[in-house]
Amino acid sequence: MNSVFGPYFRKFVLVFFDDILVYNPTIQEHVHHLSIVISLLRKHKLYVKYSKCCFAQSSLEYLRHIITADGVAADLEKIACMKSWPIPTNIKQLRGFLGLTCYYRKFIGSIAKPLTDLLKKNAFLWSPSAEEAFHTLKNTMYTTPVLALPAFTKKFVVETDA
C-alpha cells in the first residue's frame, strides 16, 4: 500500500494492514484527498467494503487512539483499567502494571523510571518515590494530552525496543 499511495503517504493518508486513514484539517481538503485515494484504489484494482467505511468524521478510534481535529489522544476506554490498578505488592504485579502501560508510556516520557528500577534483581522495595511514580503514571495515562503526528517534513528520531 505504501507504493500505491507513494507521494501522499503521511501527508494525508496512513495505511495499517487493511485500514486506510485519510486525515485533513478541512472538509474541502478531505473531499479532495478522498477522491485521490479512491482514484488510486481504482487504478490499482483495489476495493473497499463500503459498510466498513466512515467518511468526514470529526472523531474516530484508530489503533488504540482517538483522532480528532485537535490531534491524537489515548482511547480512555482502553486505559480505564490502569486507573483502578491497585498498588503492586510484588514484582509480578508491578510487571503487569508496567506491561499494561508500556504502549502508551512512549507518549508521556520517563515517569515510570522509579518503577522500572524496582524490576532489577532484589530491588523491589516500595518507596515514596515509587508510590509517587505509580500514582503519577496512572493519572497521566488517564489524562494524556492530545498528541500530534510528527512533522514528516522535519528531521526527528524514532526509538524502538524491537
Side-chain angles (χ1 to χ4, degrees):
M1 288 301 238
N2 292 359
S3 61
V4 170
F5 296 111
Y8 309 113
F9 194 66
R10 293 188 177 137
K11 289 190 173 79
F12 61 82
V13 66
L14 293 174
V15 178
F16 187 77
F17 292 113
D18 62 347
D19 291 329
I20 301 170
L21 177 67
V22 180
Y23 55 94
N24 308 102
T26 68
I27 191 68
Q28 293 82 10
E29 286 180 90
H30 189 62
V31 169
H32 174 67
H33 291 151
L34 276 175
S35 68
I36 292 171
V37 167
I38 291 167
S39 295
L40 286 169
L41 290 170
R42 189 177 296 138
K43 176 182 173 186
H44 292 275
K45 296 183 178 18
L46 296 169
Y47 302 91
V48 296
K49 188 171 185 176
Y50 183 75
S51 64
K52 292 186 175 186
C53 296
C54 300
F55 299 99
Q57 302 292 305
S58 60
S59 170
L60 78 113
E61 186 273 328
Y62 184 74
L63 301 176
R64 292 191 270 182
H65 296 87
I66 300 297
I67 300 174
T68 68
D70 297 325
V72 182
D75 184 346
L76 294 182
E77 283 186 26
K78 302 282 192 257
I79 60 174
C81 58
M82 294 176 204
K83 190 170 179 106
S84 61
W85 197 276
I87 293 173
T89 57
N90 58 47
I91 287 181
K92 184 177 179 179
Q93 292 172 358
L94 178 59
R95 279 192 183 119
F97 177 72
L98 291 174
L100 188 62
T101 63
C102 181
Y103 175 77
Y104 290 107
R105 273 199 329 248
K106 64 187 171 197
F107 296 121
I108 56 175
S110 58
I111 295 169
K113 175 109 174 73
L115 299 175
T116 55
D117 288 345
L118 297 180
L119 297 175
K120 296 175 183 165
K121 190 171 182 174
N122 299 322
F124 189 87
L125 177 62
W126 201 255
S127 65
S129 66
E131 179 94 16
E132 182 181 346
F134 177 74
H135 289 297
T136 301
L137 182 58
K138 281 174 58 169
N139 290 333
T140 305
M141 294 302 296
Y142 208 72
T143 57
T144 53
V146 172
L147 309 166
L149 289 170
F152 291 102
T153 57
K154 297 180 181 176
K155 196 173 191 176
F156 60 92
V157 176
V158 177
E159 294 182 21
T160 181
D161 64 352

